[in-house]
Amino acid sequence: FENARKVYTNGVEAKNSWRSFVGELTGENVRIPDVDSGYPKSVYPTKWESGNPMPLEVAQYEIGDGYPDVNEYRMKFGVVIPSTNTTVEYDFWSMILGEQNREVCKGIGFHMSGILIDSPRLATDEDMLNFLEMFRKQIYVTVDRLMTAEPQYIIMGMSLETFFGGWEGNKEFKKTLMDRTGLNIATGAEACKAALDKFKAKRITVITPYQDIGDKNVVKFFTEIGCEVVRIAGLKCGSATDIAHVPESWCEKVIRENLVLDGVDAIVQCGTNLSMVALADRLERELNVPIIAINAACLWFGMREVGINVKYKGAPACSASSEP
């Protein structure tokens, strides 16, 4: 972000036209790197010899000001997920490539990088702390691997780690990764905060897949940002893999019977491997209460922060609006 020119991975030296602007939701300085100006370096054949399958001469294509990624020419998001997570990538692509959203979301794409989780058991509080320890050991190598794809903005596709330590813990986690990558970062916890701010919601109920220690940190986070957590229903899933297998009907039962209360401004779903985007969209229309599915909130947050203000359909209200 400091020099007018740079050498790209193909060895081409070209201009460095990075951009910066104020993030719509955070007020932070969002910096978008130039990942196009030096690409691609390529040739085409100009002379052949009979009997020789290889061209005798080639000429260099002129790249001018460079060409963008063929598919992700509008924004290339990097997304960090646990290796056990099978939901985030599905949800993100489903939200932007669904029939209703394909046109408005053309040129937006995601590159996933998985944090190795070699012991996914989450049956106890101790298991959950061990999970976090594994995460912290693997996060740097995971984002380093992600950076080889040259993303322009990073979305953290996990939520538990972003709630631990409350608001200050989230800020510290985010700063660590911003310092490591040089890119702006969206976290699940901050995305939920931004969605609640949008709805001016202060009294909330929450559903999570976590054990008690995870739920206590979720309550701590929301309390520190000025919300009252009236109830939190932790599903206490036995492993990180377990979470993706929770039927939609189980989540619906918990919400209908326990979390729809008089005076509650919004319902929040934590746990990015818990598939609830479609359910939240359906139930909030019926129950007339905002239901913030964390994967929808993360994508909405990331898109707004990089200046993509499209409205997309078939997702909960926060992601369907172009308003801050």
Side-chain angles (χ1 to χ4, degrees):
F1 294 106
E2 297 176 358
N3 300 318
R5 297 179 67 79
K6 70 177 181 179
V7 178
Y8 290 78
T9 61
N10 56 9
V12 171
E13 181 181 333
K15 66 180 181 178
N16 181 20
S17 300
W18 59 277
R19 299 175 285 136
S20 69
F21 46 84
V22 176
E24 181 179 323
L25 300 175
T26 62
E28 296 175 354
N29 182 38
V30 177
R31 302 190 302 176
I32 306 297
D34 182 354
V35 295
D36 300 326
S37 293
Y39 296 124
K41 181 180 180 180
S42 184
V43 302
Y44 59 93
T46 59
K47 187 175 181 180
W48 298 88
E49 182 180 58
S50 179
N52 185 356
M54 305 295 291
L56 289 183
E57 296 179 7
V58 298
Q60 192 83 30
Y61 275 109
E62 293 293 330
I63 65 173
D65 289 333
Y67 290 86
D69 185 295
V70 171
N71 296 311
E72 299 174 8
Y73 53 84
R74 192 172 174 191
M75 182 56 56
K76 189 193 300 184
F77 286 106
V79 184
V80 178
I81 58 173
S83 59
T84 51
N85 190 301
T86 57
T87 300
V88 168
E89 184 171 13
Y90 180 91
D91 279 354
F92 279 16
W93 284 114
S94 294
M95 282 187 278
I96 72 164
L97 291 183
E99 185 177 343
Q100 296 173 302
N101 303 316
R102 184 180 293 269
E103 283 301 312
V104 296
C105 291
K106 273 187 175 180
I108 299 168
F110 312 103
H111 180 68
M112 304 284 160
S113 188
I115 304 169
L116 177 62
I117 305 297
D118 54 12
S119 180
R121 181 180 167 87
L122 292 175
T124 66
D125 286 352
E126 184 178 1
D127 291 338
M128 190 158 283
L129 290 172
N130 183 54
F131 182 93
L132 288 172
E133 184 178 351
M134 283 189 293
F135 170 87
R136 289 166 184 148
K137 287 179 179 178
Q138 294 288 340
I139 187 62
Y140 284 157
V141 69
T142 303
V143 295
D144 289 348
R145 185 186 308 119
L146 177 64
M147 291 301 292
T148 64
E150 297 191 340
Q152 296 164 289
Y153 185 94
I154 294 177
I155 300 173
M156 303 308 293
M158 79 290 295
S159 63
L160 175 63
E161 299 80 4
T162 70
F163 286 108
F164 255 72
W167 177 240
E168 290 302 319
N170 174 78
K171 289 198 298 183
E172 181 181 350
F173 172 72
K174 180 176 172 178
K175 182 181 184 303
T176 297
L177 294 183
M178 289 176 67
D179 290 345
R180 181 78 174 189
T181 63
L183 298 181
N184 291 81
I185 308 284
T187 70
E190 189 169 15
C192 288
K193 177 185 182 299
L196 291 170
D197 289 344
K198 175 188 182 304
F199 291 115
K200 298 180 173 59
K202 292 297 182 184
R203 299 187 78 244
I204 65 174
T205 55
V206 184
I207 180 172
T208 83
Y210 307 144
Q211 300 294 329
D212 286 345
I213 192 170
D215 287 346
K216 288 174 181 176
N217 276 274
V218 170
V219 172
K220 175 180 172 64
F221 176 86
F222 285 123
T223 301
E224 288 181 357
I225 65 168
C227 292
E228 177 191 354
V229 181
V230 180
R231 285 183 182 175
I232 184 165
L235 302 180
K236 295 180 171 54
C237 291
S239 72
T241 315
D242 230 7
I243 299 169
H245 293 259
V246 174
E248 188 177 89
S249 60
W250 291 10
C251 296
E252 182 170 355
K253 174 182 173 65
V254 170
I255 291 171
R256 286 186 181 278
E257 296 180 5
N258 302 276
L259 302 182
V260 183
L261 305 174
D262 289 342
V264 165
D265 301 320
I267 300 169
V268 181
Q269 174 252 321
C270 302
T272 60
N273 208 19
L274 190 64
S275 185
M276 262 195 57
V277 171
L279 177 63
D281 180 49
R282 174 168 62 84
L283 284 186
E284 70 179 7
R285 298 172 192 274
E286 176 189 339
L287 302 174
N288 197 32
V289 60
I291 302 178
I292 299 169
I294 195 163
N295 288 346
C298 284
L299 181 55
W300 165 77
F301 183 96
M303 290 177 71
R304 295 300 176 268
E305 281 291 279
V306 300
I308 299 174
N309 291 302
V310 299
K311 292 184 177 182
Y312 50 100
K313 301 175 182 179
C318 71
S319 56
S321 172
S322 63
E323 298 300 319

